[in-house]
Amino acid sequence: MRNLRRKALERLFYDYPRNKKALRFKQEKIESLTSSVPSGWKVEVLRNKTHAEPDNFMVNRVALLEKVEEEFKELQERVELVETLLSLLDDDYKEFVRLKYFEKKRWDVVADELCIGVRTAFRWRDRILEICSPFLTL
């Protein structure tokens, strides 16, 4: 179970920069889908009655918008979770997360940049897991 939590936490941290970029892209996509909406309605007039319904273009656009909004919510939850977890950490641990997970540097490089030993870097990872794991739901 502990290994699963470690992998989930590390995956969350590794994916953060990509998720943040994807979140901006999804926001722009939502804005483009909602800002330039053409008519998209079929109107039929039969014997003094008017009947209107969305055409296929409008139906497809609304379906796409719902899908993008759902993806946006999921990404937003992940990004906010990482930002919340980072707020729990002190500055040294935040720097460790930035170097190891966001910039994907090797253990020895992370240790050198933080002026610690490689073994200490592993202990810091374990401590970060210990601090953050209560907030992870698996």
Side-chain angles (χ1 to χ4, degrees):
M1 185 68 169
R2 183 175 176 177
N3 203 21
L4 282 174
R5 284 196 176 277
R6 173 178 287 138
K7 287 182 180 186
L9 179 63
E10 289 183 327
R11 177 56 38 212
L12 195 62
F13 284 144
Y14 276 127
D15 290 346
Y16 176 76
R18 186 173 40 100
N19 286 343
K20 196 153 173 122
K21 193 179 290 185
L23 191 64
R24 284 192 302 270
F25 173 77
K26 298 288 182 191
Q27 180 66 40
E28 291 170 5
K29 185 73 172 173
I30 290 170
E31 289 171 5
S32 90
L33 285 170
T34 56
S35 66
S36 61
V37 178
S39 172
W41 290 89
K42 294 186 288 187
V43 178
E44 295 179 13
V45 179
L46 301 170
R47 297 186 202 174
N48 298 334
K49 291 185 180 181
T50 303
H51 177 71
E53 63 183 40
D55 63 5
N56 286 338
F57 177 78
M58 179 66 86
V59 170
N60 291 340
R61 189 177 192 119
V62 169
L64 177 60
L65 181 61
E66 289 172 348
K67 179 182 174 196
V68 172
E69 284 176 337
E70 183 63 33
E71 292 168 353
F72 178 82
K73 285 181 191 176
E74 290 174 18
L75 285 170
Q76 190 173 32
E77 287 174 5
R78 288 185 201 136
V79 166
E80 287 174 356
L81 177 58
V82 171
E83 290 171 354
T84 300
L85 294 175
L86 288 173
S87 72
L88 300 172
L89 303 175
D90 65 23
D91 291 340
D92 289 336
Y93 289 164
K94 285 179 191 175
E95 184 66 9
F96 172 89
V97 169
R98 183 185 66 77
L99 293 169
K100 180 63 186 151
Y101 299 111
F102 300 170
E103 296 181 12
K104 298 179 176 139
K105 294 189 176 183
R106 294 187 336 249
W107 286 103
D108 58 329
V109 175
V110 171
D112 286 346
E113 288 196 28
L114 294 172
C115 299
I116 59 175
V118 174
R119 184 65 202 129
T120 302
F122 281 106
R123 282 194 296 271
W124 281 22
R125 180 205 50 199
D126 293 341
R127 180 66 183 134
I128 291 167
L129 172 66
E130 187 179 308
I131 292 168
C132 297
S133 66
F135 298 92
L136 294 179
T137 55
L138 294 179

